[in-house]
Amino acid sequence: MKAPVTWIRELVDLPDGVTTDDLARRLTALGLKLEAIERPGHDLTGPLVLGRVLTAEPEPQKNGKTINWCSVDVGDANGTGEPQGIVCGAHNFGPGDLVVVVLPGAVLPGGFAIAARKTYGHVSAGMICSASELGLPDGFGGSSDGIVVLPADAGEPGDDAFGVLPLRDEVIEFEINPDRAYALSLRGVAREAALAFDAPYADPVDRPVPAADGAGHPVVVDDPDGCPVFVTRVVSGFDPTATSPAWLQRRLQLAGMRPISLAVDVSNYVMLELGQPNHCYDADTLTGAIRVRRATAGEKLTTLDGVVRSLDAADLLIADGSGPIGIAGVMGGEATEISASTSRIVVEAAHFDPVTVFRSQKRHKLGSEASKRFERGVDPLLPLVAADRVAQLLVELGGGTVEPGTTYVGEPPAAPTIVAPADLPARISGIAIDDATTVAHLEAVGCAVTEDGTTLSVVPPSWRPDLTEPFDLVEEVVRIVGYDQVPSVLPAPGAGRGLTREQRLRRRVGRTLAGAGCVEVVSFPFTGAAALDALEIPADDERRRTVALANPLSSQEPEYTTTLLPGILAAAARNVGRGAPGVALFETGTVAFATDVAAPLLGVDRRPTDAELDALLAAVPFQPQHLAVVLGGVREPAGPWGPGRDAGWADVVEVVRGLATELGATLRVENAELAPWHPGRCARLLVVGADGTETAVGHAGELHPRIVTAHGLPARTSVAELDLDALLAATPSTPRGPSFSTYPVAKEDVALVVDVSVPAADVEAALCEGAGELLESVRLFDVYTGEGIDEGRKSLAFALRFRAVDRTLGEGEAAAARDEAVALASQRTGAVQR
Amino acid sequence: MSGPNNEYDPVQVTPLNAEEVAAARDAALAAVEAAADLEQLKQARLDHAGDRSPLALANREIGALPPQARKEAGQRVGQARGAINQALKARQEVLEAAHEEQMLVVETVDVTLPVDRHPRGARHPLTTGAERIADVFVAMGWEVAEGPVIEAEWLNFDALNLGPDHPARTMQDTFWTSPAENHVVLRTHTSPVQARSMLTRTPPIYVVCPGRVFRTDEYDATHSPMFHQVEGLAIDEGITMAHLKGTLDHFATAMFGEGITTRFRPSYFPFTEPSAEVDLVCFVCRGTAVNEDGDTCRTCRGEGWIEWGGCGVVNPRVLVACGVDPERYTGFAFGMGIDRTLMFRHGVEDLRGFFEGDVRFTTAFGTEI
């Protein structure tokens, strides 16, 4: 809402010395938030004077243009009293016209300094001004495009133009919250200004209006719920050629609206002044009575913006004998609009149901100045006075007469009575506010208050439909007392339980991965078929079960992702593209798997039952937290210590294993095949629980080379993706203090030859099981193929450590255990000791 | 008791001859002194203090001397050998020290050589920032509540007094999941976690909820379809706006330093009544609106205050929908943008830095902020 300060001051008598900045600050403190202060015309400095054109000689030029060489009487303003010689390119004026002249030394908006200069063979000492040069609206004061020609009686040559024209003003732009629709008018802004400074306020609504007699244009309201009040007045004998006066155009311009024609400008002016949207029809285009009714499906209306609208049965219409002529509270129809020949005008001012207007506006994507006000709530007592104000202004500025009849159909909705404890504002705000102050402040905003002991019965004013509940009154009282009066007191919650186990573990995950050299990224979770195709994820894969968005920002990414890989790989490629020799990234984030269950529509007048809540939550997709890691390119740079090393499958498996160790989880790794991983370099990761049950938590390994290339990543880029929730859930919560033997260790090494296809983990598992409880640890320390080993076989060298808890191992005990281990490995995996 | 030396050739030094003993001693001392390194000293020790050295041999002869001569000879030879051993020890220490000195010189390296074989990792500032905020509240006895980002429309809107026709729904440009009839949205704020907390906990409730939220905003330097909020909710008997102010003042001070407090301006949110916008004393100019050079403060653009978030007293309608008795309990709630908070706390100019994944951005924040 843009409010010109001169207009505000017309309605409220502000104390001396109150500046626009003061005003804006105090109104912000009351809840009308300052967006910006504009100071139009303040970058325009004189001398700027009125001048009468004495002569204007057209002089054709070689470039095809014709200029006017003018002499202009500017009185004594130029210091000599002699006519001023000025070259002017415009032609909409002539000798005798009163114009605005800017003399050398002046500066026009935009820092354009005026000086006498030689042009077209003359010395042009100044400029005859157009509207846009002065920052005024086009067509200002009825001048057609070009030079501003003032009425002959506007002043004398040499008069200071600042005193004649509304060149300078200040405009405060407010952000109006949805609950303060009344402030979408100068009436409302001025009322708040009066409240802020305790200043005298003249409500522009307080004016005599004729009684309703039903003799205006006939109206039938079929839907009083949608349209509680409808008023018409009629103006006849209106001069369709009359133009809006300069002050009206200027005010509309400053308020952010474009002057169009006198009838439209008056309509908009009254809307800005009072907050009541209204409409002017060309009476001669109306067919019979105006009817307010719901649309029937299939009806069409061409709105003022020239668009044909297919109407919905829920749209509330203004119609006449010809059919729809407007969508109630949203926009009028083209067929009945005021034209350049309209002389009889039907003025409409009505009150419409906010929800009905909101839905129509949304349905037709047709937000307008009218709908903005109606959907937030307009004072229902306004239609009669607003219609009269429009009619009177039309006649005052455009001639003709207001016909005596006034049609008033309906009944304004009654204001509610709010019963509230008098001490509620004090109790809720924590400020010491006595009851008398509460009553005084409620009355200051326009409420009628009746006190009954400690209880107040409050009837809000007609312009405050937002006030319906006791807590609404609290805000009114507290904002006047001042939000800055709220004391600062810390509440005293009981002892808290701190972070949950999962919250603590998630922090550890992040620290561990950062410790492993990985940098965390945060990606958008939007994806699409193309991204999943690029990862070669099969059509029947679980990861295709994305949650589709009804209104995605990008048609390329219309879904919520099931995997973090598209995002983190894009980030990896971005880093590589920006010159990083290697990347090590991780990301934790929510993924989602679609659930095609509709949520029930629940009320809000009570807590849903547990069954209703269960049904509601069943519609919410499954959303586990995932963890992704990507390692690509240089993992260890070359340096004085030796050659560097690129990341590969082992690095990412190491990172994941290290994370599991840090979390205290036992991780088992097995070979697997899954897109987008390299089919021979993909590990499935399983967490082994205390009871031996295994939970698959994800995969790690090298990306398929084709996918590496397609994503522009370094060769052998390796990734992991884990279900973090599953990993954390399978992590033991309380580590046990260890007990360990201090007897000497016995070491035994074995080399076992197996087929290359046998996983080392299987051999190791067999060794562990076969070695029995004396085995302390086993570690694979070499894998060998080549000379001495048959083709298709490999030698795995393991270091076994044995130790007893209660004694030093005797001669041969470790060797016997080793033999048991080898025997079981042979049986299980066909291993042969080398 | 040693016997006469019969195995070796005539002794070079006779123990009775004081001059010979002195000469042997002097020769030994000279040799020790002349030893330039530990190797030469070893040789000198062998030559002059070893088993076959003149004085060692002379020593053996002492036993063969007449008893009356033994004492004097023994003293003479013993003193000479003592002097030599002392010299050897002293020389040994000198040469060892020199050797050690020499080794340190030889082993000198250029410690300015790069040693960073393992590039550093880092955690994302949005993660560590949310943790830091959570820690402020956990220290006050609050708990951290969480909820899903894809949320039932009822929890995101209706339960928070944003009915289907509430104009405020249009202010929050919502991503709807398809089909829209399922009434599931990407949450537009962290406030549904408020509703979930009230539905699943029993008052008193003091929870803070950091998390991701989504709106259909085009992506630019100050807007993103995904951003982060932190929501706070307190439900207890006798909660007032003063408690809200106290909590936010403490939060501001904990995040931005002593003297950085908040102010309230009246505002409107469907889920709170009364509602307020909360501003923060500009922590750069500390409310003075000018920077060190006397120019307009860039962080607050000369306002002295920074818009921080929204807050208010929980609307009793929300309490009713979420099963909290509005006659017994009151509450307050607040919400701030984490991204925005970090942007002005750390001077980040472009919101997109958070989401591009450029490691140079993230690494600057380390593992804690």
Side-chain angles (χ1 to χ4, degrees), chain A residues 84 96 298 301 305 430 470-471 543 740:
Chain A
Q84 198 80 357
L301 169 68
D305 54 3
F471 275 55
R543 288 168 290 172
F740 40 77

Side-chain angles (χ1 to χ4, degrees), chain B residues 194-208:
Chain B
Q194 273 189 35
R196 284 177 174 261
S197 298
M198 286 187 265
L199 287 165
T200 56
R201 295 168 184 244
T202 309
I205 299 169
Y206 289 86
V207 291
V208 66

Side-chain angles (χ1 to χ4, degrees), chain A residues 535-548:
Chain A
L535 294 175
E536 305 190 10
I537 292 175
D540 59 353
D541 191 288
E542 171 79 353
R543 288 168 290 172
R544 290 281 178 177
R545 207 152 60 77
T546 53
V547 175

Side-chain angles (χ1 to χ4, degrees), chain A residues 251-403:
Chain A
R251 279 201 170 161
L252 290 177
Q253 184 206 23
L254 294 178
M257 298 191 81
R258 198 164 53 89
I260 291 168
S261 68
L262 177 57
V264 174
D265 292 351
V266 164
S267 172
N268 284 334
Y269 182 83
V270 172
M271 177 181 71
L272 290 171
E273 181 186 50
L274 303 181
Q276 171 67 53
N278 58 84
H279 193 74
C280 293
Y281 300 94
D282 181 339
D284 295 335
T285 63
L286 291 176
T287 312
I290 285 177
R291 194 169 203 102
V292 185
R293 60 165 173 89
R294 299 282 164 169
T296 52
E299 274 189 294
K300 290 197 168 14
L301 169 68
T302 305
T303 40
L304 279 174
D305 54 3
V307 178
V308 179
R309 312 271 172 184
S310 285
L311 302 172
D312 186 277
D315 287 329
L316 187 68
L317 297 185
I318 316 299
D320 70 355
S322 70
I325 57 172
I327 303 174
V330 179
M331 195 173 275
E334 198 177 58
T336 52
E337 76 174 309
I338 301 293
S339 73
S341 60
T342 301
S343 63
R344 191 157 180 269
I345 295 171
V346 172
V347 178
E348 165 206 308
H351 188 71
F352 297 115
D353 168 47
V355 171
T356 302
V357 172
F358 173 70
R359 288 182 181 168
S360 282
Q361 172 264 111
K362 219 170 127 184
R363 193 176 295 125
H364 296 289
K365 297 187 172 62
L366 193 58
S368 64
E369 290 290 332
S371 69
K372 186 165 86 182
R373 288 168 173 82
F374 278 125
E375 71 191 24
R376 287 166 171 80
V378 174
D379 182 348
L381 301 187
L382 277 175
L384 195 59
V385 62
D388 187 62
R389 173 81 167 135
V390 171
Q392 299 297 345
L393 265 179
L394 286 174
V395 170
E396 187 183 313
L397 303 174
T401 52
V402 182
E403 295 186 9

Side-chain angles (χ1 to χ4, degrees), chain A residues 518-611:
Chain A
C518 301
V519 175
E520 188 175 14
V521 298
V522 173
S523 307
F524 292 158
F526 305 119
T527 192
L532 298 177
D533 290 348
L535 294 175
E536 305 190 10
I537 292 175
D540 59 353
D541 191 288
E542 171 79 353
R543 288 168 290 172
R544 290 281 178 177
R545 207 152 60 77
T546 53
V547 175
L549 300 177
N551 54 336
L553 277 187
S554 155
S555 59
Q556 301 300 302
E557 297 180 328
E559 292 148 40
Y560 197 99
T561 195
T562 53
T563 162
L564 299 180
L565 294 181
I568 199 171
L569 292 181
R574 198 169 296 126
N575 279 285
V576 171
R578 292 179 181 180
V583 281
L585 306 178
F586 78 98
E587 173 161 21
T588 59
T590 300
V591 300
F593 296 89
T595 317
D596 193 15
V597 177
L601 296 175
L602 303 178
V604 292
D605 53 343
R606 58 166 173 82
R607 182 191 193 276
T609 64
D610 289 345

Side-chain angles (χ1 to χ4, degrees), chain A residues 26-157:
Chain A
R26 295 288 286 275
L27 289 176
T28 297
L30 276 180
L32 306 190
K33 194 198 158 205
L34 170 68
E35 274 288 289
I37 296 178
E38 292 168 17
R39 294 190 161 85
H42 287 254
D43 54 354
L44 173 64
T45 53
L48 187 72
V49 299
L50 302 195
R52 193 168 313 278
V53 180
L54 302 175
T55 61
E57 299 296 333
E59 294 181 359
Q61 302 295 317
K62 278 182 275 193
N63 62 10
K65 277 192 194 170
T66 300
I67 60 104
N68 286 304
W69 171 235
C70 309
S71 69
V72 185
D73 172 12
V74 295
D76 291 330
N78 56 5
T80 65
E82 295 297 314
Q84 198 80 357
I86 298 174
V87 170
C88 185
H91 301 279
N92 67 317
F93 68 100
D97 280 346
L98 194 62
V99 295
V100 182
V101 178
V102 57
L103 296 173
V107 179
L108 291 185
F112 182 30
I114 301 299
R117 64 195 183 97
K118 205 154 188 243
T119 180
Y120 294 112
H122 301 282
V123 173
S124 181
M127 213 165 84
I128 304 175
C129 295
S130 71
S132 66
E133 282 157 355
L134 296 171
L136 295 171
D138 286 344
F140 178 79
S143 313
S144 54
D145 289 354
I147 295 307
V148 174
V149 178
L150 299 172
D153 58 356
E156 293 302 319

